[in-house]
Amino acid sequence: MIVDCAIYRDGRRRQGPSDIVVALEEARDSVDAFVWIGLHEPTAEEFDRVSAEFGLHPLAVEDALKAHQRPKLEVYDDSLFLVLKPVMYEPEGDTVSTGELMVFMGDSFVVTVRHGEGSPLAEVRRRLEAEPDMLRQGPTSVLYSVSDAVVDHYVEVARELQLDLEELEAEVFQPAGGDAKNTASRIYQFKRQVLEFRRATGPLGGPMERLAGAGVPYVAEDARPFFRDVSDHLTRAGEQVEALDRLLSDILSAHLAQMGVRQNDDMRKISAWAAMAAVPTMVAGVYGMNFTHMPELRWVWGYPAVVGLMAVAVVGLYRLFKRRGWL
């Protein structure tokens, strides 16, 4: 569906026709005007008219309709096609999810196609309409502002994930050790969230570097420093994601090492108690073999002596294991 359709002339939003064909004609009749159309999960029928009127490339149209694309920048004869993946963080479940945002940009138009929730287009449009000087740069200002909003949100999400990681780290290294099975599950789930994040940030580096360089059609030359700034922010977000992934791997290794140490401690305790139980069992087994001729069988102090011997042996073993830290 078409969420918004507006004509911008000389940095100001103008009251224009709701019909996209007329809006595009009015924008092309003026050198300082362009039309911005926003769509949300359009059907093939809804998008056919837009693609036909704006001359969008069929391959880009197919990508915009099917979604599930990697971040990329493609240059066609009549337009640019940029794919972004906005990232959403849900504090309730400590989960990361991604949407998709496609931007078609030509000489006098911008078409944005949104899939999923959480895309910052409404806020970007409001902010741009409050900055006429920026809007006077034409469609390039929209492309920059959308990219900047998406990448800035990457940094915010990375900050939230860092806080969650610190909580997880404290749980792993707490003296009690926590629930080992639950902790391992949380670490694995966290790595899945970081992987989802990396799929959004990693492939976007190339397109931002191209937009920051020269030779990309429909992008104003004086906009290159702005895209370099977006590229710098993206690099910082990517470094944060890489740091999160490395820390998670280290925490997982530390957790597995802790589990191994605890298992060794448990085995030593079990071995110590088994050794203490083995001595009286052996003595009792010897005197329970029912042979006729055995020493001390008719000795008055035989029973107390044997019981005392077992007690002394068990106490001696207990003190030995305690001194060595096995118990």
Side-chain angles (χ1 to χ4, degrees), residues 85-88 96-100 115-117 154 196-197 199-200:
K85 294 184 76 69
V87 174
M88 289 75 71
V96 171
S97 58
T98 57
E100 289 195 38
H115 291 269
E117 301 298 330
Y154 287 165
E196 186 73 14
F197 200 174
R199 288 174 178 169

Side-chain angles (χ1 to χ4, degrees), residues 41-211:
E41 297 183 356
T43 63
E45 293 75 13
E46 292 172 335
F47 205 52
D48 281 345
R49 188 183 181 198
V50 175
S51 61
E53 295 299 333
F54 288 86
L56 305 181
H57 197 278
L59 292 177
V61 171
E62 181 181 359
D63 290 343
L65 288 174
K66 291 185 177 179
H68 303 293
Q69 305 297 317
R70 298 175 74 250
K72 61 181 179 179
L73 173 66
E74 295 182 353
V75 179
Y76 298 103
D77 294 336
D78 300 323
S79 63
L80 293 179
F81 178 57
L82 176 65
V83 179
L84 302 164
K85 294 184 76 69
V87 174
M88 289 75 71
Y89 174 77
E90 300 173 5
E92 295 80 9
D94 295 336
T95 57
V96 171
S97 58
T98 57
E100 289 195 38
L101 180 58
M102 289 81 168
V103 183
F104 294 88
M105 190 187 79
D107 55 351
S108 57
F109 69 87
V110 177
V111 178
T112 53
V113 182
R114 178 166 60 92
H115 291 269
E117 301 298 330
S119 298
L121 290 183
E123 180 60 31
V124 170
R125 192 184 286 264
R126 284 194 296 268
R127 189 172 68 245
L128 271 175
E129 290 176 355
E131 299 179 6
D133 291 339
M134 177 66 74
L135 271 175
R136 289 191 183 95
Q137 301 300 320
T140 303
S141 64
V142 178
L143 184 67
Y144 158 71
S145 298
V146 171
S147 303
D148 185 56
V150 170
V151 172
D152 282 348
H153 195 61
Y154 287 165
V155 178
E156 296 176 9
V157 172
R159 189 180 303 115
E160 295 291 340
L161 289 176
Q162 180 65 41
L163 295 176
D164 288 345
L165 182 60
E166 291 174 0
E167 294 177 1
L168 182 60
E169 188 177 19
E171 178 181 332
V172 170
F173 292 103
Q174 65 181 347
D179 185 351
K181 183 178 180 180
N182 185 57
T183 300
S185 176
R186 285 192 61 193
I187 294 174
Y188 176 76
Q189 292 175 1
F190 206 121
K191 286 186 73 69
R192 293 285 299 176
Q193 307 306 318
V194 173
L195 176 60
E196 186 73 14
F197 200 174
R198 291 181 64 179
R199 288 174 178 169
T201 60
L204 189 57
M208 287 299 107
E209 290 180 1
R210 288 182 62 189
L211 290 171

Side-chain angles (χ1 to χ4, degrees), residues 190-264:
F190 206 121
K191 286 186 73 69
R192 293 285 299 176
Q193 307 306 318
V194 173
L195 176 60
E196 186 73 14
F197 200 174
R198 291 181 64 179
R199 288 174 178 169
T201 60
L204 189 57
M208 287 299 107
E209 290 180 1
R210 288 182 62 189
L211 290 171
V216 180
Y218 307 110
V219 176
E221 289 296 322
D222 53 0
R224 290 165 55 188
F226 294 95
F227 285 107
R228 280 200 297 269
D229 182 66
V230 175
S231 181
D232 290 342
H233 290 178
L234 179 63
T235 300
R236 184 173 65 180
E239 290 174 350
Q240 289 177 309
V241 174
E242 291 292 336
L244 288 172
D245 190 50
R246 288 194 299 269
L247 283 173
L248 276 171
S249 298
D250 294 341
I251 290 174
L252 181 59
S253 298
H255 176 64
L256 294 177
Q258 283 183 329
M259 291 181 62
V261 171
R262 294 192 193 106
Q263 289 176 350
N264 288 338

